[in-house]
Amino acid sequence: MSVTTDGGYEAAPDLAALRAEVADLRARMDSYERILQLRDAALDQPPGPAPGPAATLPLPDHFDIAADQLLPVQDGFYQLEWGPEGAFRWTGPAQDVGFDTWVDRSIPLVATLRLFHFGTPANAGELAIEVDGTAYPLAREGKDKLLRSEPIATRPGNGPTRITLRVPHLHSPAARGAADRRVLGVAFQRLRIEPA
């Protein structure tokens, strides 16, 4: 810090250096995260030769996505954070969070959502997912932050499925005097879609 002509302190050089360092660390962390996600995706590939263009593979019977995977901002997520229960990402600033998946819809499926935090208490009883234009309320299991849907209706065909998590209540920590000015929904940890 340097002393200004009026006797105050000037922190600009130190502050600028710290901001640059934080930006560099965030960029490195994002790069490492992408590398780990690519590695995980490569490890999920079955061994052997790739099928020819005429071959059709069956769709998986489940879909599983976690906070430590690539969840882009445009899908409704903030950066990866860590807490005592593991990795999480806050949703926001919009109420809807989207997931695109290729999953077998010929059988009824159920969604299980694990959260680190509800954001506001009202979200605990009002969260829902939407699939093919139909809303499926998410019911909390006990006092855990684990919620399950009713069975999701079947659908013919093998196209992609868009799953939308609807978060009715948003909040901002800045409204309670915190420095964080983000508009937040819930602290997402994992979504699993599997046979009912």
Side-chain angles (χ1 to χ4, degrees):
M1 282 189 201
S2 59
V3 179
T4 61
T5 55
D6 63 354
Y9 290 96
E10 182 180 319
D14 290 339
L15 186 57
L18 287 173
R19 284 185 178 154
E21 187 177 343
V22 167
D24 180 54
L25 289 172
R26 280 189 179 157
R28 285 184 188 184
M29 196 161 140
D30 287 344
S31 295
Y32 292 140
E33 182 179 327
R34 286 187 190 101
I35 289 168
L36 291 173
Q37 290 163 356
L38 289 171
R39 182 205 64 191
D40 291 345
L43 293 175
D44 284 342
Q45 298 301 319
T56 56
L57 296 174
L59 291 175
D61 67 350
H62 70 280
F63 168 73
D64 195 4
I65 192 159
D68 60 356
Q69 293 175 284
L70 183 60
L71 300 173
V73 171
Q74 62 267 23
D75 287 343
F77 292 97
Y78 288 103
Q79 289 187 331
L80 183 65
E81 299 179 47
W82 292 89
E85 297 170 30
F88 68 92
R89 289 179 193 260
W90 282 103
T91 65
Q95 290 179 305
D96 292 348
V97 180
F99 303 91
D100 291 310
T101 180
W102 292 82
V103 64
D104 182 0
R105 297 284 307 283
S106 65
I107 55 175
L109 301 171
V110 67
T112 304
L113 176 70
R114 177 172 293 285
L115 299 176
F116 175 71
H117 198 283
F118 285 107
T120 63
N123 280 332
E126 297 180 30
L127 292 171
I129 60 165
E130 182 179 296
V131 182
D132 299 331
T134 302
Y136 296 90
L138 293 167
R140 189 172 182 184
E141 294 190 345
K143 295 188 185 235
D144 289 337
K145 291 170 268 189
L146 190 69
L147 301 105
R148 289 179 59 92
S149 73
E150 298 173 359
I152 298 167
T154 61
R155 183 190 75 191
N158 59 0
T161 297
R162 177 74 172 170
I163 300 166
T164 304
L165 171 62
R166 304 239 180 244
V167 181
H169 304 283
L170 302 177
H171 71 285
S172 176
R176 295 186 312 273
D180 187 349
R181 299 197 176 284
R182 296 177 297 173
V183 175
L184 307 174
V186 294
F188 170 85
Q189 285 194 290
R190 180 176 294 276
L191 174 67
R192 182 166 177 85
I193 308 291
E194 59 192 338

